[in-house]
Amino acid sequence: IDTLERLAGISPEKLVEAHGTFHSAHCIKCKKEYSQEWMKERIFDDVLPECDSCHKLVKPDIVFFGESLPDRFGSCVRTDFPRCDLLLIMGTSLVVQPFASLIDRVPDTCPRALLNMEKAGVTHDLSRRGEGLMFDSSGNYRDVFVGGATDATCLLLAEKLGWAEDFLKLQQPDN
C-alpha cells in the first residue's frame, strides 16, 4: 500500500497491489479519482478529504478490513499461478488469508522455495490436509526452506545465478 514498488520503478502492469495503494484515491460516492499528491496535501493539512464534485469523503484506494480485494488480485491468481514454474516465497508468516493459500495454487510440478527467518506454511500447521509446504515430510519432492535474512538470502541466490552485479546495482540509491 505504501507505493514503494512504484517508487522503485516497477511498472504498474507488473504490480498486484493486493491490499490496495495510496497511489490513488476515489470518492466513496461518485468514484471521482484523485491523485496521491492531492490526498497527501489534505492529510498533512489536517483537512478531511472531500470530493469537489459531490462533497462526499475521498478514500485512498487501500483495502480496509472487511473490504474486497481489488479485482486485479483475483484475476492474476487465476491466470498467473497455474503457469508458475518456480514459486519464491519471501519474508512471510503465511498466516493471513487469502495470501497464505496462494502457495497451493501453483501446479504440483512447480518447485516452491521459502526464503525466510523461520519455516512457515508447513502442512501440519495448516487446518486442511494436502495443503502447505512439506519441507520435512517424506513425500516432499519440491519444497525447499532457505533460512536467514531475506536480503542476504536474495544476494546469495543472485550470486549463485550469476546475477550479483545486477542485483547490487538495483540496490544503489540512484536506481
Side-chain angles (χ1 to χ4, degrees), residues 43-111:
I43 290 170
F44 284 120
D45 287 346
D46 204 24
V47 173
L48 190 65
E50 184 179 284
C51 178
D52 54 19
S53 294
C54 72
H55 306 289
K56 293 295 182 181
L57 180 68
V58 175
K59 173 189 163 299
D61 291 338
I62 58 172
V63 177
F64 288 114
F65 183 77
E67 292 182 326
S68 296
L69 297 177
D71 291 340
R72 179 163 164 71
F73 174 79
S75 170
C76 288
V77 167
R78 286 186 300 278
T79 59
D80 295 347
F81 278 77
R83 300 182 316 174
C84 184
D85 56 10
L86 172 63
L87 183 64
L88 296 177
I89 310 152
M90 296 186 253
T92 178
S93 63
L94 288 174
V95 171
V96 178
Q97 293 294 346
F99 309 100
S101 63
L102 294 178
I103 60 174
D104 295 310
R105 300 293 298 259
V106 297
D108 291 342
T109 55
C110 178

Side-chain angles (χ1 to χ4, degrees), residues 24-167:
S24 58
H26 284 84
C27 173
I28 61 169
K29 183 176 182 188
C30 73
K31 307 299 181 200
K32 181 175 179 181
E33 185 170 345
Y34 291 86
S35 70
Q36 179 180 13
E37 294 74 29
W38 183 92
M39 180 62 88
K40 189 175 183 180
E41 182 179 301
R42 274 136 190 91
I43 290 170
F44 284 120
D45 287 346
D46 204 24
V47 173
L48 190 65
E50 184 179 284
C51 178
D52 54 19
S53 294
C54 72
H55 306 289
K56 293 295 182 181
L57 180 68
V58 175
K59 173 189 163 299
D61 291 338
I62 58 172
V63 177
F64 288 114
F65 183 77
E67 292 182 326
S68 296
L69 297 177
D71 291 340
R72 179 163 164 71
F73 174 79
S75 170
C76 288
V77 167
R78 286 186 300 278
T79 59
D80 295 347
F81 278 77
R83 300 182 316 174
C84 184
D85 56 10
L86 172 63
L87 183 64
L88 296 177
I89 310 152
M90 296 186 253
T92 178
S93 63
L94 288 174
V95 171
V96 178
Q97 293 294 346
F99 309 100
S101 63
L102 294 178
I103 60 174
D104 295 310
R105 300 293 298 259
V106 297
D108 291 342
T109 55
C110 178
R112 305 179 299 183
L114 175 66
L115 289 61
N116 217 18
M117 292 299 289
E118 57 192 27
K119 291 180 182 176
V122 179
T123 300
H124 61 67
D125 292 341
L126 301 175
S127 59
R128 295 181 291 224
R129 294 184 167 268
E131 295 180 343
L133 301 166
M134 302 177 59
F135 304 120
D136 301 318
S137 298
S138 60
N140 181 24
Y141 61 94
R142 65 177 181 153
D143 297 334
V144 177
F145 173 69
V146 183
T150 304
D151 289 347
T153 305
C154 287
L155 176 57
L156 176 64
L157 181 60
E159 288 170 350
K160 298 286 185 189
L161 294 168
W163 300 341
E165 186 177 329
D166 292 335
F167 182 79

